[in-house]
């Protein structure tokens, strides 16, 4: 996607809109002014924006670029949107591994409500995955969606990405033999303990897993709410 900004700085602009709750025009002005302040040195401008605007995009950008290199051939093939999903999974896995303390939010209720974000990519829903998509989109040579321009805007994936996400998620649930919502609830402990990026040796990672295992019903409900309506059958009677 072509813009007047270097792709990594375009990511920062998206992040400022989404997280700092400013308009696209305001975010672009910050980027332009920062580049001017460093006499056109975009590397220094990038570092300054990341720090001064508290967007800290570097790690996710680097993970995405590594993914583009790793999946280069797939991105040029007929199923390029599934390749996009694989890269988004890598970005998300890296975040989960690096941020075990993020499960503990400002309040206990906020912690529970946002706990689903630490589950596998296939579990968190396409809208949540789209938050990672904005780290990747400016580096791709085909369209994957667009960024809303208003303060607090979201990155909206294109239909092809949404469809690829549904296939990606369905493959995951098939692997765990999850057909009904009850299957999901029963399978949550195995899903949590089977997600290696949760399972660090530090005390915070262990506490996160314990907290998740203590809230499996809430997690299952959040997963269902974030998937397409057709993903789960409602009860055992509907099984063929």
């Amino acid at each position: 996607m072509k813009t007047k900004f270097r792709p990594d700085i375009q990511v920062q602009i998206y992040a400022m809109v989404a997280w700092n709750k400013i308009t696209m025009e305001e975010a672009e002005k910050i980027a332009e002014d920062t580049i001017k302040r460093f006499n056109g040195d975009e590397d220094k401008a990038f570092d300054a924006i990341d720090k001064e605007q508290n967007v800290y995009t570097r790690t996710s950008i680097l993970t995405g670029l590594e993914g583009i290199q790793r999946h280069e051939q797939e991105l040029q093939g007929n199923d390029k949107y599934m390749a996009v999903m694989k890269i988004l999974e890598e970005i998300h896995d890296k975040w989960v591994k690096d941020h075990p303390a993020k499960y503990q939010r400002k309040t206990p209720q906020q912690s529970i409500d946002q706990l689903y974000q630490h589950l596998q990519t296939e579990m968190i829903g396409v809208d949540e995955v789209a938050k990672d998509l904005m780290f990747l989109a400016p580096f791709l040579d085909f369209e994957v969606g667009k960024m809303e321009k208003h303060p607090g805007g979201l990155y909206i994936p294109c239909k092809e990405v949404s469809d690829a996400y549904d296939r990606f998620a369905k493959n995951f649930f098939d692997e765990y033999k999850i057909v009904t919502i009850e299957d999901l609830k029963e399978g949550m402990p195995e899903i949590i303990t089977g997600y290696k990026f949760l399972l660090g040796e530090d005390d915070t990672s262990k506490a996160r897993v314990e907290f998740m295992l203590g809230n499996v019903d809430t997690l299952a409900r959040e997963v269902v709410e974030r998937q397409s309506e057709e993903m789960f059958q409602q009860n055992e009677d509907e099984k063929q």
Side-chain angles (χ1 to χ4, degrees):
M1 183 176 56
K2 303 295 183 184
T3 73
K4 63 182 178 180
F5 295 99
R6 204 170 73 176
D8 56 348
I9 294 177
Q10 185 63 55
V11 171
Q12 292 178 317
I13 291 168
Y14 289 164
M16 285 188 278
V17 171
W19 299 330
N20 296 356
K21 302 199 181 333
I22 60 177
T23 66
M24 186 75 75
E25 291 75 18
E26 290 169 330
E28 289 177 345
K29 181 69 162 53
I30 289 170
E32 289 172 348
D33 289 348
T34 307
I35 292 169
K36 288 177 183 177
R37 176 158 44 108
F38 289 98
N39 299 314
D41 189 328
E42 293 178 300
D43 289 336
K44 290 182 179 178
F46 176 88
D47 291 341
I49 293 169
D50 242 24
K51 183 177 180 180
E52 294 168 6
Q53 302 302 318
N54 296 310
V55 289
Y56 300 110
T57 58
R58 180 180 295 278
T59 298
S60 291
I61 286 173
L62 290 175
T63 305
L65 289 174
E66 290 168 0
I68 288 174
Q69 291 181 330
R70 190 158 37 249
H71 301 285
E72 181 178 6
Q73 294 300 315
E74 295 169 83
L75 288 168
Q76 297 172 5
N78 293 331
D79 212 4
K80 59 188 177 184
Y81 295 102
M82 283 300 279
V84 168
M85 287 310 312
K86 292 176 184 178
I87 300 170
L88 294 176
E89 181 178 44
E90 292 163 7
I91 293 173
H92 178 68
D93 289 344
K94 176 68 172 170
W95 181 85
V96 170
K97 181 179 179 181
D98 289 352
H99 296 89
K102 281 284 188 178
Y103 85 92
Q104 194 170 19
R105 307 287 176 161
K106 293 179 181 179
T107 67
Q109 188 58 52
Q110 188 183 35
S111 297
I112 292 171
D113 289 344
Q114 295 183 282
L115 192 59
Y116 75 95
Q117 294 173 341
H118 299 259
L119 291 167
Q120 292 90 328
T121 299
E122 297 92 338
M123 306 277 282
I124 62 178
V126 69
D127 291 340
E128 189 69 28
V129 168
K131 295 177 183 178
D132 291 328
L133 187 57
M134 71 183 184
F135 293 110
L136 185 63
F139 296 97
L140 298 173
D141 59 5
F142 56 92
E143 292 294 327
V144 290
K146 62 181 180 179
M147 186 75 191
E148 293 179 329
K149 296 183 178 182
H150 59 80
L154 302 174
Y155 196 91
I156 307 300
C158 67
K159 183 179 185 302
E160 291 84 355
V161 169
S162 294
D163 289 346
Y165 179 80
D166 283 347
R167 297 199 308 273
F168 200 67
K170 188 173 188 313
N171 290 340
F172 177 86
F173 294 123
D174 286 348
E175 178 184 347
Y176 277 91
K177 296 181 173 55
I178 291 171
V179 177
T180 69
I181 294 172
E182 285 304 314
D183 291 338
L184 176 64
K185 291 179 181 179
E186 292 174 6
M188 284 301 299
E190 181 184 357
I191 289 169
I192 291 167
T193 56
Y195 187 25
K196 66 180 181 180
F197 295 98
L198 283 173
L199 308 177
E201 292 299 320
D202 57 287
D203 290 342
T204 306
S205 294
K206 293 175 181 177
R208 174 174 57 175
V209 170
E210 290 176 4
F211 188 66
M212 293 176 79
L213 290 172
N215 289 279
V216 293
D217 285 348
T218 299
L219 283 170
R221 183 177 67 248
E222 295 286 348
V223 169
V224 171
E225 288 179 357
R226 284 165 174 78
Q227 302 293 336
S228 65
E229 291 183 7
E230 298 80 16
M231 191 65 69
F232 303 106
Q233 296 175 8
Q234 294 298 310
N235 54 59
E236 294 289 330
D237 293 338
E238 295 180 20
K239 285 187 177 182
Q240 298 299 319

